[in-house]
Amino acid sequence: MKTELNRVIGKRVRIQREKLHLSREELSEQIEVSSRFLADIELGAKGMSFQTLIRLSKELHVSTDYILLGETKDSNNEVIAEMIRHLDDDYLPE
């Protein structure tokens, strides 16, 4: 179970790193870990500390929720839109 979770987390880290056009070496330097350790995270071979998670979140410009759970702030947009649709017109801007 833990290995599978590490693998999914690592995949999200790698995908986001690649979206930002960062090499593994560049990102590992920014988050103050070795490139080998970052490779192990991306491959799901190792987990990470809370401190590394926070640094990854900052440098990859994503939330820790996204890294750990695959969720983003935008995940709730449909729920919010549904709530707005049901608001009384008196509460909506003109």
Side-chain angles (χ1 to χ4, degrees):
M1 176 76 171
K2 184 178 180 183
T3 303
E4 181 57 30
L5 180 59
N6 285 349
R7 206 176 351 258
V8 216
I9 288 170
K11 184 176 181 180
R12 284 193 283 268
V13 169
R14 181 182 50 79
I15 288 170
Q16 186 62 23
R17 175 180 60 77
E18 290 174 350
K19 279 183 185 177
L20 295 174
H21 305 288
L22 290 170
S23 70
R24 193 173 280 149
E25 290 74 23
E26 289 170 324
L27 181 57
S28 64
E29 190 174 299
Q30 291 171 350
I31 64 169
E32 300 175 18
V33 299
S34 71
S35 58
R36 180 69 240 164
F37 183 65
L38 180 57
D40 286 342
I41 290 172
E42 290 184 354
L43 294 170
K46 292 189 178 178
M48 69 186 99
S49 69
F50 183 72
Q51 186 176 38
T52 300
L53 173 64
I54 296 297
R55 288 178 182 158
L56 274 172
S57 173
K58 179 182 172 189
E59 296 302 328
L60 294 176
H61 308 289
V62 294
S63 69
T64 55
D65 284 350
Y66 171 75
I67 294 172
L68 295 175
L69 307 170
E71 298 174 1
T72 64
K73 292 178 187 175
D74 296 339
S75 297
N76 293 323
N77 282 350
E78 190 56 41
V79 173
I80 293 168
E82 188 64 25
M83 290 170 67
I84 291 171
R85 281 193 284 276
H86 288 87
L87 278 177
D88 189 291
D89 289 342
D90 293 337
Y91 295 102
L92 297 173
E94 296 179 19

Coordinates of all heavy atoms in Angstrom, one line a residue:
M1 N 0.8 -1.2 0.0 CA 0.0 0.0 0.0 C 0.9 1.3 0.0 O 0.7 2.1 -0.8 CB -0.9 0.0 1.2 CG -1.8 1.2 1.4 SD -3.1 1.2 0.2 CE -4.0 2.6 0.8
K2 N 1.8 1.3 0.9 CA 2.7 2.5 1.0 C 3.5 2.7 -0.3 O 3.6 3.8 -0.7 CB 3.6 2.4 2.2 CG 4.5 3.6 2.4 CD 5.3 3.5 3.7 CE 6.2 4.7 3.9 NZ 7.1 4.6 5.0
T3 N 4.0 1.6 -0.8 CA 4.7 1.7 -2.1 C 3.9 2.2 -3.2 O 4.3 3.1 -4.0 CB 5.3 0.3 -2.4 OG1 6.1 -0.1 -1.4 CG2 6.2 0.4 -3.7
E4 N 2.6 1.8 -3.3 CA 1.7 2.3 -4.3 C 1.4 3.8 -4.1 O 1.4 4.5 -5.1 CB 0.4 1.5 -4.3 CG -0.6 1.9 -5.4 CD 0.0 1.8 -6.8 OE1 0.9 1.0 -7.1 OE2 -0.4 2.7 -7.6
L5 N 1.2 4.2 -2.9 CA 1.0 5.6 -2.6 C 2.2 6.4 -3.0 O 2.1 7.5 -3.6 CB 0.6 5.7 -1.1 CG 0.4 7.2 -0.6 CD1 -0.8 7.8 -1.4 CD2 0.1 7.2 0.9
N6 N 3.4 5.9 -2.6 CA 4.6 6.6 -3.0 C 4.7 6.8 -4.5 O 5.2 7.8 -5.0 CB 5.8 5.9 -2.4 CG 6.0 6.1 -0.9 OD1 5.3 7.0 -0.3 ND2 6.9 5.4 -0.3
R7 N 4.3 5.7 -5.2 CA 4.4 5.7 -6.7 C 3.5 6.8 -7.3 O 3.9 7.5 -8.2 CB 4.1 4.3 -7.2 CG 4.7 4.0 -8.5 CD 4.5 2.6 -9.0 NE 3.8 1.7 -8.1 CZ 4.5 0.7 -7.5 NH1 5.8 0.6 -7.6 NH2 3.8 -0.1 -6.7
V8 N 2.3 6.9 -6.7 CA 1.3 7.9 -7.3 C 1.8 9.3 -6.9 O 1.7 10.2 -7.8 CB -0.1 7.7 -6.8 CG1 -1.1 8.0 -7.8 CG2 -0.4 6.4 -6.2
I9 N 2.3 9.5 -5.7 CA 2.8 10.8 -5.3 C 4.0 11.2 -6.2 O 4.1 12.3 -6.7 CB 3.2 10.8 -3.8 CG1 1.9 10.8 -3.0 CG2 4.0 12.0 -3.5 CD1 2.2 10.5 -1.5
G10 N 4.9 10.2 -6.4 CA 6.1 10.5 -7.2 C 5.7 10.9 -8.6 O 6.3 11.7 -9.3
K11 N 4.7 10.2 -9.2 CA 4.3 10.5 -10.5 C 3.7 11.9 -10.7 O 4.0 12.6 -11.6 CB 3.2 9.5 -11.0 CG 2.7 9.7 -12.4 CD 1.7 8.6 -12.8 CE 1.3 8.8 -14.2 NZ 0.3 7.8 -14.7
R12 N 3.0 12.4 -9.6 CA 2.5 13.7 -9.7 C 3.6 14.7 -9.6 O 3.6 15.8 -10.3 CB 1.5 14.0 -8.5 CG 0.1 13.4 -8.8 CD -0.9 13.8 -7.8 NE -0.8 13.2 -6.5 CZ -1.5 12.1 -6.1 NH1 -2.3 11.5 -7.0 NH2 -1.3 11.6 -4.9
V13 N 4.6 14.4 -8.8 CA 5.8 15.3 -8.6 C 6.5 15.4 -10.0 O 6.8 16.5 -10.5 CB 6.7 14.8 -7.5 CG1 8.1 15.5 -7.6 CG2 6.1 15.0 -6.2
R14 N 6.7 14.3 -10.6 CA 7.4 14.2 -11.9 C 6.7 15.0 -13.0 O 7.2 15.8 -13.7 CB 7.7 12.8 -12.4 CG 8.4 12.8 -13.7 CD 8.7 11.3 -14.2 NE 7.5 10.5 -14.2 CZ 6.5 10.6 -15.2 NH1 6.6 11.4 -16.2 NH2 5.4 9.8 -15.1
I15 N 5.4 14.7 -13.1 CA 4.5 15.4 -14.1 C 4.6 16.9 -13.9 O 4.7 17.7 -14.9 CB 3.1 14.9 -14.0 CG1 3.0 13.5 -14.6 CG2 2.1 15.8 -14.8 CD1 1.7 12.7 -14.4
Q16 N 4.4 17.4 -12.7 CA 4.5 18.8 -12.4 C 5.8 19.4 -12.7 O 6.0 20.5 -13.3 CB 4.0 19.1 -11.0 CG 3.9 20.6 -10.7 CD 2.8 21.3 -11.6 OE1 1.9 20.7 -12.1 NE2 2.9 22.6 -11.7
R17 N 6.9 18.7 -12.3 CA 8.3 19.2 -12.6 C 8.4 19.3 -14.1 O 9.0 20.3 -14.6 CB 9.3 18.2 -12.1 CG 10.7 18.5 -12.4 CD 11.7 17.5 -11.9 NE 11.6 16.2 -12.3 CZ 11.9 15.7 -13.5 NH1 12.5 16.5 -14.4 NH2 11.8 14.4 -13.8
E18 N 8.0 18.3 -14.9 CA 8.1 18.4 -16.3 C 7.3 19.5 -16.9 O 7.7 20.2 -17.9 CB 7.8 17.1 -16.9 CG 8.8 16.0 -16.6 CD 8.5 14.6 -17.1 OE1 7.3 14.4 -17.5 OE2 9.4 13.7 -17.0
K19 N 6.1 19.8 -16.4 CA 5.2 20.9 -16.9 C 6.0 22.2 -16.7 O 5.8 23.1 -17.5 CB 3.9 20.9 -16.1 CG 2.9 20.0 -16.5 CD 1.6 20.2 -15.7 CE 0.6 19.2 -16.0 NZ -0.6 19.4 -15.2
L20 N 6.8 22.3 -15.7 CA 7.5 23.6 -15.4 C 8.9 23.6 -16.1 O 9.6 24.5 -16.0 CB 7.7 23.7 -13.9 CG 6.4 23.9 -13.1 CD1 6.8 23.9 -11.6 CD2 5.7 25.2 -13.5
H21 N 9.1 22.5 -16.9 CA 10.4 22.4 -17.7 C 11.6 22.5 -16.8 O 12.6 23.2 -17.1 CB 10.5 23.5 -18.8 CG 9.3 23.5 -19.7 ND1 9.1 22.5 -20.6 CD2 8.2 24.3 -19.8 CE1 8.0 22.7 -21.3 NE2 7.4 23.8 -20.8
L22 N 11.5 21.8 -15.6 CA 12.6 21.8 -14.7 C 13.3 20.4 -14.8 O 12.6 19.4 -14.9 CB 12.1 21.9 -13.3 CG 11.6 23.3 -12.8 CD1 11.0 23.2 -11.4 CD2 12.8 24.3 -12.8
S23 N 14.6 20.4 -14.8 CA 15.3 19.2 -14.8 C 15.3 18.6 -13.4 O 15.0 19.4 -12.4 CB 16.8 19.3 -15.2 OG 17.5 20.1 -14.2
R24 N 15.5 17.4 -13.2 CA 15.6 16.8 -11.9 C 16.7 17.5 -11.0 O 16.5 17.7 -9.8 CB 15.8 15.3 -12.0 CG 15.6 14.6 -10.7 CD 15.7 13.1 -10.9 NE 14.4 12.6 -11.5 CZ 14.4 11.5 -12.3 NH1 15.4 10.9 -12.6 NH2 13.2 11.1 -12.7
E25 N 17.8 17.8 -11.7 CA 18.9 18.4 -11.0 C 18.5 19.8 -10.5 O 18.8 20.2 -9.4 CB 20.1 18.5 -11.9 CG 20.8 17.2 -12.1 CD 20.0 16.3 -13.1 OE1 19.2 16.8 -13.9 OE2 20.2 15.1 -13.1
E26 N 17.8 20.6 -11.3 CA 17.4 21.9 -11.0 C 16.4 21.9 -9.8 O 16.6 22.6 -8.8 CB 16.7 22.6 -12.1 CG 17.6 23.0 -13.3 CD 16.9 23.5 -14.5 OE1 15.8 22.9 -14.8 OE2 17.4 24.4 -15.2
L27 N 15.4 21.0 -9.8 CA 14.5 21.0 -8.8 C 15.1 20.4 -7.5 O 14.8 21.0 -6.4 CB 13.3 20.1 -9.1 CG 12.2 20.0 -8.1 CD1 11.6 21.3 -7.7 CD2 11.1 19.0 -8.5
S28 N 15.9 19.4 -7.6 CA 16.6 18.9 -6.4 C 17.4 20.0 -5.7 O 17.5 20.1 -4.4 CB 17.4 17.7 -6.7 OG 18.5 18.0 -7.5
E29 N 18.1 20.8 -6.5 CA 18.9 21.9 -5.9 C 17.9 22.9 -5.2 O 18.2 23.4 -4.1 CB 19.7 22.6 -7.0 CG 20.7 23.6 -6.5 CD 21.5 24.2 -7.6 OE1 22.2 23.4 -8.3 OE2 21.5 25.4 -7.8
Q30 N 16.8 23.2 -5.8 CA 15.9 24.2 -5.2 C 15.3 23.7 -3.9 O 15.0 24.5 -3.0 CB 14.7 24.5 -6.2 CG 15.2 25.3 -7.4 CD 14.1 25.4 -8.5 OE1 13.1 24.7 -8.5 NE2 14.4 26.2 -9.5
I31 N 15.0 22.4 -3.8 CA 14.4 21.8 -2.6 C 15.4 21.3 -1.6 O 15.1 20.7 -0.6 CB 13.3 20.8 -2.9 CG1 13.9 19.6 -3.6 CG2 12.2 21.4 -3.7 CD1 12.9 18.4 -3.7
E32 N 16.7 21.4 -2.0 CA 17.8 21.0 -1.1 C 17.9 19.5 -0.8 O 18.1 19.1 0.4 CB 17.8 21.9 0.2 CG 17.9 23.4 -0.1 CD 17.7 24.2 1.2 OE1 17.9 23.7 2.3 OE2 17.4 25.4 1.0
V33 N 17.7 18.7 -1.8 CA 17.9 17.3 -1.7 C 18.8 16.8 -2.9 O 19.0 17.6 -3.8 CB 16.6 16.5 -1.7 CG1 15.7 16.9 -0.5 CG2 15.9 16.6 -3.0
S34 N 19.3 15.6 -2.8 CA 20.1 15.2 -3.9 C 19.2 14.8 -5.1 O 18.1 14.5 -4.9 CB 21.0 13.9 -3.5 OG 20.1 12.8 -3.3
S35 N 19.8 14.8 -6.3 CA 19.0 14.5 -7.5 C 18.6 13.0 -7.4 O 17.6 12.6 -7.9 CB 19.7 14.8 -8.8 OG 21.0 14.2 -8.8
R36 N 19.5 12.1 -6.8 CA 19.2 10.7 -6.6 C 18.0 10.5 -5.7 O 17.1 9.7 -6.0 CB 20.4 10.0 -6.0 CG 20.2 8.5 -5.8 CD 20.1 7.8 -7.1 NE 18.8 7.1 -7.2 CZ 18.2 6.6 -8.2 NH1 18.7 6.7 -9.4 NH2 17.0 6.1 -8.2
F37 N 17.9 11.3 -4.6 CA 16.8 11.2 -3.7 C 15.5 11.7 -4.4 O 14.4 11.0 -4.2 CB 17.0 12.0 -2.4 CG 15.9 11.9 -1.4 CD1 15.6 10.7 -0.8 CD2 15.1 13.0 -1.1 CE1 14.6 10.6 0.1 CE2 14.1 12.9 -0.2 CZ 13.8 11.7 0.4
L38 N 15.5 12.8 -5.2 CA 14.4 13.2 -5.9 C 13.9 12.1 -6.9 O 12.7 11.9 -7.1 CB 14.7 14.5 -6.6 CG 13.5 15.1 -7.4 CD1 12.2 15.3 -6.6 CD2 13.9 16.4 -8.1
A39 N 14.9 11.5 -7.6 CA 14.6 10.4 -8.5 C 13.8 9.3 -7.7 O 12.8 8.7 -8.2 CB 15.8 9.8 -9.1
D40 N 14.3 8.9 -6.5 CA 13.7 7.9 -5.7 C 12.2 8.3 -5.3 O 11.3 7.5 -5.3 CB 14.5 7.6 -4.4 CG 15.7 6.8 -4.7 OD1 15.8 6.2 -5.8 OD2 16.6 6.9 -3.8
I41 N 12.0 9.6 -5.0 CA 10.7 10.1 -4.7 C 9.8 9.9 -6.0 O 8.7 9.4 -5.9 CB 10.7 11.6 -4.3 CG1 11.3 11.7 -2.9 CG2 9.3 12.2 -4.3 CD1 11.6 13.1 -2.5
E42 N 10.3 10.4 -7.1 CA 9.5 10.3 -8.4 C 9.2 8.9 -8.8 O 8.1 8.6 -9.4 CB 10.2 11.0 -9.5 CG 10.3 12.5 -9.3 CD 10.9 13.3 -10.5 OE1 11.4 12.7 -11.4 OE2 10.8 14.5 -10.4
L43 N 10.1 8.0 -8.5 CA 9.9 6.6 -8.8 C 9.0 5.8 -7.8 O 8.6 4.7 -8.0 CB 11.2 5.9 -9.0 CG 12.0 6.3 -10.2 CD1 13.4 5.8 -10.1 CD2 11.3 6.0 -11.5
G44 N 8.8 6.5 -6.6 CA 8.0 5.8 -5.6 C 8.8 4.9 -4.7 O 8.3 4.2 -3.9
A45 N 10.1 5.0 -4.9 CA 11.0 4.1 -4.1 C 11.1 4.6 -2.6 O 11.4 3.8 -1.7 CB 12.4 4.0 -4.7
K46 N 11.0 5.9 -2.4 CA 11.1 6.5 -1.1 C 10.0 7.5 -0.9 O 9.5 8.2 -1.8 CB 12.5 7.2 -0.9 CG 13.6 6.2 -0.9 CD 14.9 6.8 -0.6 CE 16.0 5.8 -0.5 NZ 17.3 6.4 -0.2
G47 N 9.7 7.7 0.4 CA 8.8 8.8 0.8 C 9.6 10.0 1.1 O 10.8 10.1 0.9
M48 N 9.0 11.0 1.6 CA 9.7 12.3 1.9 C 9.2 12.8 3.3 O 8.1 12.5 3.8 CB 9.4 13.3 0.8 CG 8.0 13.8 0.8 SD 7.6 14.8 -0.7 CE 6.9 13.6 -1.7
S49 N 10.0 13.7 3.8 CA 9.7 14.4 5.1 C 8.7 15.5 4.8 O 8.5 15.9 3.6 CB 10.9 15.0 5.7 OG 11.4 16.1 4.9
F50 N 8.1 16.0 5.8 CA 7.1 17.1 5.7 C 7.8 18.3 5.2 O 7.3 19.0 4.3 CB 6.6 17.4 7.1 CG 5.5 18.5 7.1 CD1 4.3 18.3 6.6 CD2 5.8 19.7 7.6 CE1 3.3 19.3 6.5 CE2 4.9 20.7 7.6 CZ 3.6 20.5 7.1
Q51 N 9.1 18.5 5.6 CA 9.8 19.7 5.1 C 10.1 19.6 3.6 O 9.9 20.6 2.9 CB 11.2 19.7 5.9 CG 12.0 21.0 5.5 CD 13.3 21.0 6.4 OE1 13.9 20.0 6.6 NE2 13.6 22.2 6.8
T52 N 10.4 18.4 3.1 CA 10.6 18.2 1.7 C 9.3 18.4 0.9 O 9.2 19.0 -0.2 CB 11.2 16.8 1.4 OG1 12.4 16.7 2.0 CG2 11.4 16.6 -0.1
L53 N 8.2 17.9 1.5 CA 6.9 18.1 0.9 C 6.5 19.6 0.7 O 6.1 20.0 -0.3 CB 5.8 17.4 1.7 CG 4.3 17.7 1.3 CD1 4.1 17.1 -0.1 CD2 3.4 17.1 2.4
I54 N 6.8 20.4 1.8 CA 6.5 21.8 1.7 C 7.4 22.5 0.7 O 6.9 23.3 -0.1 CB 6.8 22.5 3.1 CG1 5.8 21.9 4.1 CG2 6.7 24.0 3.0 CD1 4.4 22.2 3.9
R55 N 8.7 22.1 0.6 CA 9.6 22.7 -0.4 C 9.1 22.4 -1.8 O 9.1 23.2 -2.7 CB 11.0 22.3 -0.2 CG 11.6 22.9 1.0 CD 13.0 22.4 1.3 NE 13.6 22.9 2.5 CZ 14.6 22.4 3.1 NH1 15.1 21.2 2.7 NH2 15.1 22.9 4.2
L56 N 8.7 21.1 -2.0 CA 8.2 20.7 -3.3 C 7.0 21.5 -3.7 O 6.9 21.9 -4.8 CB 7.9 19.2 -3.3 CG 9.0 18.2 -3.6 CD1 8.6 16.8 -3.4 CD2 9.5 18.4 -5.1
S57 N 6.1 21.6 -2.8 CA 4.9 22.4 -3.0 C 5.2 23.8 -3.5 O 4.6 24.3 -4.5 CB 4.0 22.4 -1.7 OG 2.9 23.2 -1.9
K58 N 6.1 24.4 -2.8 CA 6.5 25.8 -3.1 C 7.1 25.9 -4.5 O 6.7 26.7 -5.3 CB 7.4 26.3 -2.0 CG 7.9 27.7 -2.3 CD 8.9 28.2 -1.2 CE 9.5 29.5 -1.6 NZ 10.6 29.9 -0.7
E59 N 8.1 25.0 -4.8 CA 8.8 25.1 -6.0 C 8.0 24.6 -7.2 O 8.3 25.0 -8.3 CB 10.1 24.3 -5.9 CG 11.1 24.9 -4.9 CD 11.5 26.3 -5.1 OE1 11.6 26.8 -6.3 OE2 11.8 27.0 -4.1
L60 N 7.1 23.7 -7.0 CA 6.3 23.2 -8.1 C 5.0 24.0 -8.3 O 4.2 23.8 -9.2 CB 5.9 21.7 -7.9 CG 7.1 20.7 -7.9 CD1 6.6 19.3 -7.6 CD2 7.8 20.8 -9.3
H61 N 4.8 25.0 -7.4 CA 3.6 25.8 -7.5 C 2.3 25.0 -7.4 O 1.3 25.3 -8.2 CB 3.6 26.7 -8.7 CG 4.9 27.5 -8.9 ND1 5.3 28.5 -8.0 CD2 6.0 27.3 -9.7 CE1 6.4 29.0 -8.4 NE2 6.9 28.3 -9.4
V62 N 2.2 24.1 -6.5 CA 1.0 23.3 -6.3 C 0.8 23.1 -4.8 O 1.7 23.3 -4.0 CB 1.1 21.9 -7.0 CG1 1.1 22.0 -8.5 CG2 2.2 21.1 -6.5
S63 N -0.4 22.8 -4.4 CA -0.7 22.6 -3.0 C -0.1 21.2 -2.5 O 0.1 20.3 -3.3 CB -2.2 22.6 -2.7 OG -2.8 21.5 -3.3
T64 N 0.1 21.1 -1.2 CA 0.4 19.8 -0.7 C -0.7 18.8 -0.9 O -0.4 17.6 -1.1 CB 0.8 19.9 0.8 OG1 -0.3 20.5 1.5 CG2 2.0 20.8 1.0
D65 N -1.9 19.3 -0.9 CA -3.1 18.4 -1.2 C -2.9 17.8 -2.6 O -3.2 16.6 -2.7 CB -4.4 19.1 -1.1 CG -4.8 19.4 0.3 OD1 -4.2 18.9 1.2 OD2 -5.8 20.2 0.4
Y66 N -2.5 18.6 -3.5 CA -2.3 18.0 -4.9 C -1.2 16.9 -4.9 O -1.4 15.9 -5.4 CB -1.9 19.1 -5.9 CG -1.5 18.5 -7.2 CD1 -2.5 17.9 -8.0 CD2 -0.2 18.4 -7.6 CE1 -2.2 17.3 -9.2 CE2 0.1 17.7 -8.8 CZ -0.8 17.2 -9.6 OH -0.5 16.6 -10.7
I67 N -0.1 17.2 -4.2 CA 1.0 16.3 -4.2 C 0.6 15.0 -3.5 O 0.8 13.9 -4.0 CB 2.3 16.9 -3.5 CG1 2.8 18.0 -4.4 CG2 3.3 15.8 -3.3 CD1 4.0 18.8 -3.7
L68 N -0.1 15.1 -2.4 CA -0.4 13.9 -1.6 C -1.7 13.2 -2.1 O -1.8 12.0 -2.1 CB -0.6 14.3 -0.1 CG 0.6 14.8 0.6 CD1 0.3 15.2 2.0 CD2 1.7 13.7 0.6
L69 N -2.7 14.0 -2.5 CA -4.0 13.4 -2.8 C -4.5 13.6 -4.2 O -5.5 13.0 -4.6 CB -5.1 14.0 -1.9 CG -4.7 14.0 -0.4 CD1 -5.7 14.9 0.4 CD2 -4.8 12.6 0.1
G70 N -3.7 14.4 -5.0 CA -4.2 14.6 -6.4 C -5.3 15.6 -6.5 O -5.9 15.8 -7.5
E71 N -5.6 16.3 -5.4 CA -6.6 17.3 -5.4 C -6.1 18.7 -5.5 O -5.0 19.0 -5.0 CB -7.4 17.2 -4.1 CG -8.1 15.9 -3.9 CD -8.8 15.7 -2.6 OE1 -8.8 16.7 -1.8 OE2 -9.4 14.6 -2.4
T72 N -6.8 19.6 -6.1 CA -6.4 21.0 -6.2 C -7.5 21.8 -5.7 O -8.7 21.4 -5.4 CB -6.1 21.4 -7.7 OG1 -7.4 21.3 -8.4 CG2 -5.1 20.5 -8.3
K73 N -7.3 23.1 -5.5 CA -8.3 24.0 -5.0 C -9.5 24.0 -6.0 O -10.6 24.2 -5.7 CB -7.7 25.4 -4.9 CG -6.8 25.5 -3.7 CD -6.2 26.9 -3.7 CE -5.1 27.0 -2.6 NZ -4.4 28.3 -2.6
D74 N -9.2 23.8 -7.3 CA -10.2 23.8 -8.3 C -11.1 22.6 -8.3 O -12.2 22.6 -8.9 CB -9.5 23.9 -9.7 CG -8.8 25.1 -10.0 OD1 -9.0 26.1 -9.3 OD2 -7.9 25.1 -10.8
S75 N -10.8 21.6 -7.5 CA -11.6 20.4 -7.3 C -13.0 20.8 -6.8 O -13.9 20.0 -7.0 CB -10.9 19.4 -6.4 OG -9.7 19.0 -6.9
N76 N -13.1 21.9 -6.1 CA -14.4 22.2 -5.5 C -15.2 23.2 -6.4 O -16.2 23.7 -6.0 CB -14.2 22.8 -4.1 CG -13.7 21.8 -3.2 OD1 -14.1 20.6 -3.2 ND2 -12.8 22.2 -2.3
N77 N -14.7 23.5 -7.6 CA -15.4 24.5 -8.4 C -16.8 24.2 -8.7 O -17.7 25.0 -8.7 CB -14.6 24.8 -9.7 CG -13.4 25.7 -9.4 OD1 -13.3 26.3 -8.4 ND2 -12.6 25.8 -10.4
E78 N -17.1 22.9 -9.0 CA -18.4 22.4 -9.4 C -19.3 22.6 -8.2 O -20.5 23.0 -8.3 CB -18.4 21.0 -9.9 CG -19.7 20.6 -10.5 CD -20.2 21.5 -11.6 OE1 -19.4 21.9 -12.4 OE2 -21.4 21.8 -11.6
V79 N -18.8 22.2 -7.0 CA -19.6 22.4 -5.8 C -20.0 23.8 -5.5 O -21.2 24.1 -5.2 CB -18.9 21.8 -4.6 CG1 -19.6 22.0 -3.3 CG2 -18.6 20.3 -4.8
I80 N -19.0 24.7 -5.7 CA -19.3 26.1 -5.5 C -20.3 26.7 -6.5 O -21.2 27.4 -6.2 CB -18.0 26.9 -5.5 CG1 -17.1 26.5 -4.3 CG2 -18.2 28.4 -5.6 CD1 -15.7 27.0 -4.4
A81 N -20.1 26.3 -7.8 CA -21.0 26.7 -8.9 C -22.4 26.2 -8.6 O -23.4 27.0 -8.8 CB -20.5 26.2 -10.2
E82 N -22.6 25.0 -8.1 CA -23.9 24.5 -7.7 C -24.5 25.3 -6.6 O -25.7 25.6 -6.6 CB -23.8 23.0 -7.3 CG -25.1 22.4 -7.1 CD -26.0 22.3 -8.4 OE1 -25.5 22.3 -9.5 OE2 -27.2 22.2 -8.2
M83 N -23.7 25.7 -5.6 CA -24.2 26.5 -4.5 C -24.7 27.9 -5.0 O -25.7 28.4 -4.6 CB -23.1 26.7 -3.4 CG -22.8 25.4 -2.7 SD -21.4 25.5 -1.6 CE -21.9 26.7 -0.4
I84 N -23.9 28.5 -5.9 CA -24.3 29.8 -6.5 C -25.6 29.7 -7.3 O -26.5 30.6 -7.2 CB -23.1 30.4 -7.3 CG1 -22.0 30.7 -6.4 CG2 -23.6 31.6 -8.1 CD1 -20.7 31.1 -7.1
R85 N -25.8 28.6 -8.0 CA -27.0 28.4 -8.8 C -28.2 28.4 -7.9 O -29.3 28.8 -8.3 CB -26.9 27.2 -9.6 CG -26.1 27.3 -10.9 CD -26.3 26.1 -11.8 NE -25.6 24.9 -11.4 CZ -24.4 24.6 -11.7 NH1 -23.6 25.5 -12.4 NH2 -23.8 23.5 -11.3
H86 N -28.1 28.0 -6.7 CA -29.2 27.9 -5.8 C -29.4 29.1 -4.9 O -30.3 29.1 -4.0 CB -29.1 26.6 -4.9 CG -29.3 25.4 -5.7 ND1 -28.3 24.7 -6.4 CD2 -30.5 24.7 -6.0 CE1 -28.8 23.7 -7.1 NE2 -30.1 23.6 -6.8
L87 N -28.6 30.1 -5.0 CA -28.7 31.3 -4.2 C -29.9 32.1 -4.6 O -30.3 32.2 -5.8 CB -27.5 32.2 -4.3 CG -26.3 31.9 -3.5 CD1 -25.1 32.8 -3.8 CD2 -26.6 31.9 -2.0
D88 N -30.6 32.7 -3.7 CA -31.7 33.6 -3.9 C -31.1 34.8 -4.7 O -30.0 35.3 -4.4 CB -32.3 34.0 -2.6 CG -33.6 34.8 -2.8 OD1 -33.6 35.9 -3.3 OD2 -34.7 34.2 -2.5
D89 N -31.9 35.3 -5.7 CA -31.4 36.4 -6.5 C -31.1 37.7 -5.7 O -30.2 38.5 -6.1 CB -32.5 36.8 -7.5 CG -32.6 35.8 -8.6 OD1 -31.7 35.0 -8.8 OD2 -33.7 35.8 -9.3
D90 N -31.7 37.8 -4.5 CA -31.4 38.9 -3.6 C -29.9 39.0 -3.2 O -29.4 40.0 -2.8 CB -32.2 38.9 -2.4 CG -33.7 39.2 -2.7 OD1 -34.0 39.8 -3.8 OD2 -34.6 38.8 -1.9
Y91 N -29.3 37.8 -3.2 CA -27.9 37.7 -2.7 C -26.9 37.8 -3.9 O -25.7 37.8 -3.6 CB -27.7 36.4 -2.0 CG -28.5 36.3 -0.7 CD1 -29.7 35.6 -0.6 CD2 -28.1 37.0 0.4 CE1 -30.4 35.5 0.5 CE2 -28.8 37.0 1.6 CZ -30.0 36.2 1.6 OH -30.7 36.2 2.8
L92 N -27.3 37.8 -5.1 CA -26.4 37.9 -6.2 C -26.1 39.4 -6.6 O -27.0 40.2 -6.5 CB -27.0 37.2 -7.4 CG -27.2 35.7 -7.2 CD1 -28.0 35.1 -8.4 CD2 -25.9 35.0 -7.1
P93 N -24.9 39.7 -7.1 CA -24.6 41.0 -7.5 C -25.5 41.4 -8.8 O -25.8 40.6 -9.5 CB -23.1 41.0 -7.9 CG -22.8 39.6 -8.0 CD -23.8 38.8 -7.3
E94 N -25.8 42.7 -8.9 CA -26.6 43.1 -10.0 C -25.8 43.3 -11.2 O -24.6 43.5 -11.3 CB -27.3 44.4 -9.6 CG -28.2 44.2 -8.5 CD -28.9 45.5 -8.1 OE1 -28.9 46.5 -8.9 OE2 -29.4 45.5 -7.0

